[in-house]
Amino acid sequence: MLTEPVEGTVLAVDRYRAPWPQRRYLRARDQHCRFPGCRRAAIRCEIDHTIDAARGGPTALGNLAHLCRRHHSMKQFTRWRVRQLARGALEWTPPTGRVSREDAPAPPVHFLPEVSRPPF
Ligand SMILES: [Zn+2]
């Protein structure tokens, strides 16, 4: 198991199934299926190895992403291609090969507008 030294985030493990701390991190990072435009909640998705584990893809944050069952199958059985860029961004290439679409996760820090309190 490889962990980030300061925060203890589980970066990689030497087995196929992601352990719970890694799955929890990915769920927070991805929030939903990572196929462009799909918003199926991560909790209802499968965790995909971007580079298949059978082809040597590691069980590491930089190689894992949530995909709903439909898009997971599409990735595995059609000519759509995906590669993972920095910070969990995915670059999708359709079978035509002409267009690549990037799906980046939401930034980990969100700033919310200040909520005014009632005067009483
Ligand atoms: Zn999907």
Side-chain angles (χ1 to χ4, degrees), residues 19-49:
W20 169 242
Q22 208 174 32
R23 294 196 314 267
R24 185 178 58 202
Y25 178 94
L26 289 165
R27 191 178 291 173
R29 181 193 76 182
D30 293 350
Q31 299 181 18
H32 54 79
C33 170
R34 300 295 309 288
F35 186 80
C38 184
R39 292 295 178 256
R40 188 160 185 91
I43 196 169
R44 300 190 186 284
C45 293
E46 302 164 344
I47 295 178
D48 173 62
H49 285 72

mmCIF file of all heavy atoms in Angstrom, residues 19-49:
data_model
loop_
_atom_site.group_PDB
_atom_site.id
_atom_site.type_symbol
_atom_site.label_atom_id
_atom_site.label_comp_id
_atom_site.label_asym_id
_atom_site.label_seq_id
_atom_site.Cartn_x
_atom_site.Cartn_y
_atom_site.Cartn_z
ATOM 1 N N PRO A 19 -9.261 -0.531 -1.798
ATOM 2 C CA PRO A 19 -9.712 -0.593 -0.405
ATOM 3 C C PRO A 19 -10.646 0.586 -0.098
ATOM 4 O O PRO A 19 -10.683 1.582 -0.832
ATOM 5 C CB PRO A 19 -8.410 -0.506 0.391
ATOM 6 C CG PRO A 19 -7.469 0.212 -0.512
ATOM 7 C CD PRO A 19 -7.861 -0.167 -1.919
ATOM 8 N N TRP A 20 -11.369 0.465 1.004
ATOM 9 C CA TRP A 20 -12.377 1.473 1.346
ATOM 10 C C TRP A 20 -11.830 2.906 1.371
ATOM 11 O O TRP A 20 -12.456 3.799 0.795
ATOM 12 C CB TRP A 20 -13.054 1.122 2.670
ATOM 13 C CG TRP A 20 -13.891 2.247 3.192
ATOM 14 C CD1 TRP A 20 -13.729 2.930 4.349
ATOM 15 C CD2 TRP A 20 -15.026 2.862 2.540
ATOM 16 N NE1 TRP A 20 -14.677 3.916 4.472
ATOM 17 C CE2 TRP A 20 -15.487 3.905 3.369
ATOM 18 C CE3 TRP A 20 -15.677 2.641 1.328
ATOM 19 C CZ2 TRP A 20 -16.566 4.711 3.030
ATOM 20 C CZ3 TRP A 20 -16.761 3.450 0.988
ATOM 21 C CH2 TRP A 20 -17.193 4.458 1.847
ATOM 22 N N PRO A 21 -10.670 3.197 1.980
ATOM 23 C CA PRO A 21 -10.202 4.595 1.971
ATOM 24 C C PRO A 21 -9.984 5.133 0.557
ATOM 25 O O PRO A 21 -10.260 6.301 0.288
ATOM 26 C CB PRO A 21 -8.878 4.530 2.748
ATOM 27 C CG PRO A 21 -8.980 3.299 3.577
ATOM 28 C CD PRO A 21 -9.805 2.335 2.770
ATOM 29 N N GLN A 22 -9.535 4.289 -0.344
ATOM 30 C CA GLN A 22 -9.338 4.718 -1.728
ATOM 31 C C GLN A 22 -10.690 4.934 -2.415
ATOM 32 O O GLN A 22 -10.885 5.910 -3.139
ATOM 33 C CB GLN A 22 -8.530 3.643 -2.463
ATOM 34 C CG GLN A 22 -7.697 4.154 -3.602
ATOM 35 C CD GLN A 22 -6.816 3.067 -4.177
ATOM 36 O OE1 GLN A 22 -7.165 1.890 -4.188
ATOM 37 N NE2 GLN A 22 -5.665 3.466 -4.677
ATOM 38 N N ARG A 23 -11.639 4.042 -2.163
ATOM 39 C CA ARG A 23 -12.969 4.186 -2.762
ATOM 40 C C ARG A 23 -13.647 5.457 -2.248
ATOM 41 O O ARG A 23 -14.295 6.179 -3.012
ATOM 42 C CB ARG A 23 -13.834 2.960 -2.458
ATOM 43 C CG ARG A 23 -13.322 1.694 -3.118
ATOM 44 C CD ARG A 23 -14.355 0.566 -3.153
ATOM 45 N NE ARG A 23 -15.061 0.330 -1.927
ATOM 46 C CZ ARG A 23 -14.690 -0.553 -1.002
ATOM 47 N NH1 ARG A 23 -13.607 -1.279 -1.172
ATOM 48 N NH2 ARG A 23 -15.387 -0.710 0.091
ATOM 49 N N ARG A 24 -13.465 5.735 -0.953
ATOM 50 C CA ARG A 24 -14.063 6.947 -0.376
ATOM 51 C C ARG A 24 -13.464 8.202 -1.013
ATOM 52 O O ARG A 24 -14.176 9.137 -1.363
ATOM 53 C CB ARG A 24 -13.837 6.953 1.134
ATOM 54 C CG ARG A 24 -14.526 8.098 1.840
ATOM 55 C CD ARG A 24 -14.331 8.043 3.320
ATOM 56 N NE ARG A 24 -12.910 8.071 3.620
ATOM 57 C CZ ARG A 24 -12.357 7.636 4.739
ATOM 58 N NH1 ARG A 24 -13.096 7.132 5.693
ATOM 59 N NH2 ARG A 24 -11.068 7.706 4.931
ATOM 60 N N TYR A 25 -12.144 8.221 -1.213
ATOM 61 C CA TYR A 25 -11.481 9.354 -1.856
ATOM 62 C C TYR A 25 -12.019 9.536 -3.281
ATOM 63 O O TYR A 25 -12.352 10.641 -3.699
ATOM 64 C CB TYR A 25 -9.964 9.131 -1.873
ATOM 65 C CG TYR A 25 -9.211 10.239 -2.561
ATOM 66 C CD1 TYR A 25 -8.694 11.304 -1.836
ATOM 67 C CD2 TYR A 25 -9.024 10.234 -3.947
ATOM 68 C CE1 TYR A 25 -8.014 12.337 -2.464
ATOM 69 C CE2 TYR A 25 -8.353 11.254 -4.583
ATOM 70 C CZ TYR A 25 -7.839 12.295 -3.842
ATOM 71 O OH TYR A 25 -7.180 13.315 -4.477
ATOM 72 N N LEU A 26 -12.093 8.418 -4.021
ATOM 73 C CA LEU A 26 -12.553 8.490 -5.408
ATOM 74 C C LEU A 26 -14.000 8.962 -5.488
ATOM 75 O O LEU A 26 -14.369 9.718 -6.382
ATOM 76 C CB LEU A 26 -12.416 7.124 -6.077
ATOM 77 C CG LEU A 26 -10.972 6.681 -6.364
ATOM 78 C CD1 LEU A 26 -10.930 5.187 -6.688
ATOM 79 C CD2 LEU A 26 -10.375 7.495 -7.496
ATOM 80 N N ARG A 27 -14.813 8.536 -4.547
ATOM 81 C CA ARG A 27 -16.212 8.955 -4.543
ATOM 82 C C ARG A 27 -16.316 10.464 -4.339
ATOM 83 O O ARG A 27 -17.092 11.144 -4.999
ATOM 84 C CB ARG A 27 -16.976 8.227 -3.440
ATOM 85 C CG ARG A 27 -18.467 8.404 -3.521
ATOM 86 C CD ARG A 27 -19.175 7.624 -2.451
ATOM 87 N NE ARG A 27 -19.068 6.179 -2.703
ATOM 88 C CZ ARG A 27 -19.471 5.244 -1.867
ATOM 89 N NH1 ARG A 27 -20.020 5.581 -0.712
ATOM 90 N NH2 ARG A 27 -19.351 3.971 -2.170
ATOM 91 N N ALA A 28 -15.486 10.993 -3.448
ATOM 92 C CA ALA A 28 -15.477 12.440 -3.206
ATOM 93 C C ALA A 28 -14.913 13.184 -4.416
ATOM 94 O O ALA A 28 -15.399 14.253 -4.782
ATOM 95 C CB ALA A 28 -14.668 12.760 -1.955
ATOM 96 N N ARG A 29 -13.892 12.622 -5.031
ATOM 97 C CA ARG A 29 -13.280 13.293 -6.196
ATOM 98 C C ARG A 29 -14.208 13.276 -7.392
ATOM 99 O O ARG A 29 -14.444 14.297 -8.022
ATOM 100 C CB ARG A 29 -11.965 12.598 -6.568
ATOM 101 C CG ARG A 29 -11.253 13.258 -7.745
ATOM 102 C CD ARG A 29 -10.139 12.400 -8.296
ATOM 103 N NE ARG A 29 -10.694 11.307 -9.089
ATOM 104 C CZ ARG A 29 -9.960 10.360 -9.673
ATOM 105 N NH1 ARG A 29 -8.655 10.353 -9.510
ATOM 106 N NH2 ARG A 29 -10.532 9.412 -10.386
ATOM 107 N N ASP A 30 -14.761 12.114 -7.696
ATOM 108 C CA ASP A 30 -15.532 11.967 -8.929
ATOM 109 C C ASP A 30 -16.967 12.475 -8.799
ATOM 110 O O ASP A 30 -17.497 13.074 -9.726
ATOM 111 C CB ASP A 30 -15.545 10.500 -9.358
ATOM 112 C CG ASP A 30 -14.169 10.004 -9.779
ATOM 113 O OD1 ASP A 30 -13.251 10.837 -9.912
ATOM 114 O OD2 ASP A 30 -14.013 8.787 -9.957
ATOM 115 N N GLN A 31 -17.615 12.173 -7.716
ATOM 116 C CA GLN A 31 -18.998 12.580 -7.431
ATOM 117 C C GLN A 31 -20.033 11.943 -8.343
ATOM 118 O O GLN A 31 -21.169 11.794 -7.984
ATOM 119 C CB GLN A 31 -19.156 14.106 -7.455
ATOM 120 C CG GLN A 31 -18.304 14.791 -6.428
ATOM 121 C CD GLN A 31 -18.468 16.287 -6.441
ATOM 122 O OE1 GLN A 31 -19.441 16.818 -6.983
ATOM 123 N NE2 GLN A 31 -17.527 16.974 -5.844
ATOM 124 N N HIS A 32 -19.653 11.623 -9.598
ATOM 125 C CA HIS A 32 -20.592 11.023 -10.549
ATOM 126 C C HIS A 32 -19.810 10.256 -11.604
ATOM 127 O O HIS A 32 -18.567 10.325 -11.638
ATOM 128 C CB HIS A 32 -21.460 12.103 -11.203
ATOM 129 C CG HIS A 32 -20.667 13.201 -11.839
ATOM 130 N ND1 HIS A 32 -20.074 13.065 -13.061
ATOM 131 C CD2 HIS A 32 -20.328 14.426 -11.390
ATOM 132 C CE1 HIS A 32 -19.438 14.176 -13.351
ATOM 133 N NE2 HIS A 32 -19.564 15.019 -12.356
ATOM 134 N N CYS A 33 -20.530 9.559 -12.476
ATOM 135 C CA CYS A 33 -19.899 8.866 -13.598
ATOM 136 C C CYS A 33 -19.050 9.868 -14.363
ATOM 137 O O CYS A 33 -19.457 11.011 -14.575
ATOM 138 C CB CYS A 33 -20.977 8.277 -14.515
ATOM 139 S SG CYS A 33 -20.347 7.626 -16.087
ATOM 140 N N ARG A 34 -17.877 9.438 -14.767
ATOM 141 C CA ARG A 34 -16.927 10.368 -15.378
ATOM 142 C C ARG A 34 -17.025 10.431 -16.897
ATOM 143 O O ARG A 34 -16.202 11.118 -17.522
ATOM 144 C CB ARG A 34 -15.516 9.987 -14.949
ATOM 145 C CG ARG A 34 -15.300 10.044 -13.443
ATOM 146 C CD ARG A 34 -15.425 11.466 -12.894
ATOM 147 N NE ARG A 34 -14.602 12.364 -13.655
ATOM 148 C CZ ARG A 34 -13.257 12.390 -13.592
ATOM 149 N NH1 ARG A 34 -12.625 11.621 -12.764
ATOM 150 N NH2 ARG A 34 -12.575 13.225 -14.351
ATOM 151 N N PHE A 35 -18.025 9.780 -17.478
ATOM 152 C CA PHE A 35 -18.215 9.957 -18.911
ATOM 153 C C PHE A 35 -18.801 11.346 -19.122
ATOM 154 O O PHE A 35 -19.697 11.762 -18.374
ATOM 155 C CB PHE A 35 -19.154 8.889 -19.482
ATOM 156 C CG PHE A 35 -19.254 8.963 -20.972
ATOM 157 C CD1 PHE A 35 -18.271 8.419 -21.764
ATOM 158 C CD2 PHE A 35 -20.321 9.607 -21.576
ATOM 159 C CE1 PHE A 35 -18.343 8.506 -23.152
ATOM 160 C CE2 PHE A 35 -20.412 9.701 -22.954
ATOM 161 C CZ PHE A 35 -19.415 9.144 -23.744
ATOM 162 N N PRO A 36 -18.302 12.084 -20.125
ATOM 163 C CA PRO A 36 -18.790 13.452 -20.318
ATOM 164 C C PRO A 36 -20.310 13.529 -20.411
ATOM 165 O O PRO A 36 -20.928 12.824 -21.203
ATOM 166 C CB PRO A 36 -18.127 13.878 -21.637
ATOM 167 C CG PRO A 36 -16.892 13.036 -21.719
ATOM 168 C CD PRO A 36 -17.275 11.720 -21.092
ATOM 169 N N GLY A 37 -20.881 14.364 -19.570
ATOM 170 C CA GLY A 37 -22.317 14.601 -19.588
ATOM 171 C C GLY A 37 -23.130 13.657 -18.720
ATOM 172 O O GLY A 37 -24.308 13.912 -18.481
ATOM 173 N N CYS A 38 -22.554 12.569 -18.255
ATOM 174 C CA CYS A 38 -23.309 11.620 -17.422
ATOM 175 C C CYS A 38 -23.199 12.054 -15.961
ATOM 176 O O CYS A 38 -22.112 12.296 -15.465
ATOM 177 C CB CYS A 38 -22.779 10.194 -17.593
ATOM 178 S SG CYS A 38 -23.745 8.972 -16.665
ATOM 179 N N ARG A 39 -24.302 12.121 -15.293
ATOM 180 C CA ARG A 39 -24.316 12.581 -13.901
ATOM 181 C C ARG A 39 -24.832 11.512 -12.940
ATOM 182 O O ARG A 39 -25.280 11.823 -11.848
ATOM 183 C CB ARG A 39 -25.159 13.854 -13.764
ATOM 184 C CG ARG A 39 -24.560 15.049 -14.449
ATOM 185 C CD ARG A 39 -23.254 15.441 -13.780
ATOM 186 N NE ARG A 39 -22.588 16.570 -14.405
ATOM 187 C CZ ARG A 39 -21.522 16.468 -15.197
ATOM 188 N NH1 ARG A 39 -21.045 15.285 -15.494
ATOM 189 N NH2 ARG A 39 -20.954 17.527 -15.706
ATOM 190 N N ARG A 40 -24.741 10.247 -13.343
ATOM 191 C CA ARG A 40 -25.142 9.169 -12.427
ATOM 192 C C ARG A 40 -24.213 9.219 -11.214
ATOM 193 O O ARG A 40 -22.998 9.241 -11.345
ATOM 194 C CB ARG A 40 -25.053 7.821 -13.123
ATOM 195 C CG ARG A 40 -25.642 6.705 -12.281
ATOM 196 C CD ARG A 40 -25.988 5.524 -13.160
ATOM 197 N NE ARG A 40 -26.643 4.499 -12.399
ATOM 198 C CZ ARG A 40 -27.957 4.388 -12.230
ATOM 199 N NH1 ARG A 40 -28.755 5.249 -12.815
ATOM 200 N NH2 ARG A 40 -28.466 3.428 -11.510
ATOM 201 N N ALA A 41 -24.805 9.232 -10.041
ATOM 202 C CA ALA A 41 -24.047 9.396 -8.796
ATOM 203 C C ALA A 41 -22.982 8.314 -8.643
ATOM 204 O O ALA A 41 -23.213 7.146 -8.972
ATOM 205 C CB ALA A 41 -24.993 9.366 -7.608
ATOM 206 N N ALA A 42 -21.834 8.716 -8.127
ATOM 207 C CA ALA A 42 -20.715 7.784 -7.960
ATOM 208 C C ALA A 42 -21.114 6.570 -7.125
ATOM 209 O O ALA A 42 -20.647 5.460 -7.379
ATOM 210 C CB ALA A 42 -19.526 8.497 -7.324
ATOM 211 N N ILE A 43 -21.980 6.785 -6.160
ATOM 212 C CA ILE A 43 -22.377 5.677 -5.294
ATOM 213 C C ILE A 43 -23.097 4.593 -6.089
ATOM 214 O O ILE A 43 -23.163 3.448 -5.673
ATOM 215 C CB ILE A 43 -23.239 6.201 -4.121
ATOM 216 C CG1 ILE A 43 -23.321 5.156 -3.035
ATOM 217 C CG2 ILE A 43 -24.605 6.636 -4.605
ATOM 218 C CD1 ILE A 43 -23.913 5.671 -1.738
ATOM 219 N N ARG A 44 -23.622 4.925 -7.259
ATOM 220 C CA ARG A 44 -24.323 3.968 -8.118
ATOM 221 C C ARG A 44 -23.460 3.537 -9.317
ATOM 222 O O ARG A 44 -23.974 2.993 -10.283
ATOM 223 C CB ARG A 44 -25.632 4.560 -8.612
ATOM 224 C CG ARG A 44 -26.564 4.927 -7.487
ATOM 225 C CD ARG A 44 -27.942 5.276 -7.989
ATOM 226 N NE ARG A 44 -28.793 5.760 -6.929
ATOM 227 C CZ ARG A 44 -29.361 4.991 -6.019
ATOM 228 N NH1 ARG A 44 -29.177 3.704 -6.045
ATOM 229 N NH2 ARG A 44 -30.124 5.527 -5.073
ATOM 230 N N CYS A 45 -22.177 3.832 -9.249
ATOM 231 C CA CYS A 45 -21.259 3.502 -10.347
ATOM 232 C C CYS A 45 -20.282 2.411 -9.933
ATOM 233 O O CYS A 45 -20.200 2.035 -8.769
ATOM 234 C CB CYS A 45 -20.463 4.747 -10.754
ATOM 235 S SG CYS A 45 -21.456 6.048 -11.510
ATOM 236 N N GLU A 46 -19.528 1.948 -10.914
ATOM 237 C CA GLU A 46 -18.454 0.987 -10.688
ATOM 238 C C GLU A 46 -17.131 1.733 -10.787
ATOM 239 O O GLU A 46 -17.039 2.769 -11.448
ATOM 240 C CB GLU A 46 -18.516 -0.114 -11.756
ATOM 241 C CG GLU A 46 -19.847 -0.840 -11.772
ATOM 242 C CD GLU A 46 -20.095 -1.665 -13.025
ATOM 243 O OE1 GLU A 46 -19.398 -1.470 -14.038
ATOM 244 O OE2 GLU A 46 -21.004 -2.506 -12.977
ATOM 245 N N ILE A 47 -16.118 1.205 -10.130
ATOM 246 C CA ILE A 47 -14.795 1.818 -10.235
ATOM 247 C C ILE A 47 -14.045 1.107 -11.353
ATOM 248 O O ILE A 47 -13.872 -0.111 -11.323
ATOM 249 C CB ILE A 47 -14.029 1.734 -8.907
ATOM 250 C CG1 ILE A 47 -14.763 2.572 -7.839
ATOM 251 C CG2 ILE A 47 -12.598 2.228 -9.080
ATOM 252 C CD1 ILE A 47 -14.119 2.517 -6.472
ATOM 253 N N ASP A 48 -13.651 1.878 -12.338
ATOM 254 C CA ASP A 48 -12.972 1.347 -13.522
ATOM 255 C C ASP A 48 -11.472 1.600 -13.431
ATOM 256 O O ASP A 48 -11.043 2.665 -12.990
ATOM 257 C CB ASP A 48 -13.528 2.054 -14.771
ATOM 258 C CG ASP A 48 -12.750 1.690 -16.011
ATOM 259 O OD1 ASP A 48 -12.728 0.499 -16.369
ATOM 260 O OD2 ASP A 48 -12.151 2.605 -16.621
ATOM 261 N N HIS A 49 -10.695 0.598 -13.861
ATOM 262 C CA HIS A 49 -9.263 0.804 -14.067
ATOM 263 C C HIS A 49 -9.121 1.403 -15.472
ATOM 264 O O HIS A 49 -9.450 0.738 -16.458
ATOM 265 C CB HIS A 49 -8.510 -0.519 -14.001
ATOM 266 C CG HIS A 49 -8.343 -1.079 -12.620
ATOM 267 N ND1 HIS A 49 -9.382 -1.622 -11.907
ATOM 268 C CD2 HIS A 49 -7.251 -1.157 -11.826
ATOM 269 C CE1 HIS A 49 -8.932 -2.030 -10.725
ATOM 270 N NE2 HIS A 49 -7.645 -1.762 -10.650
#
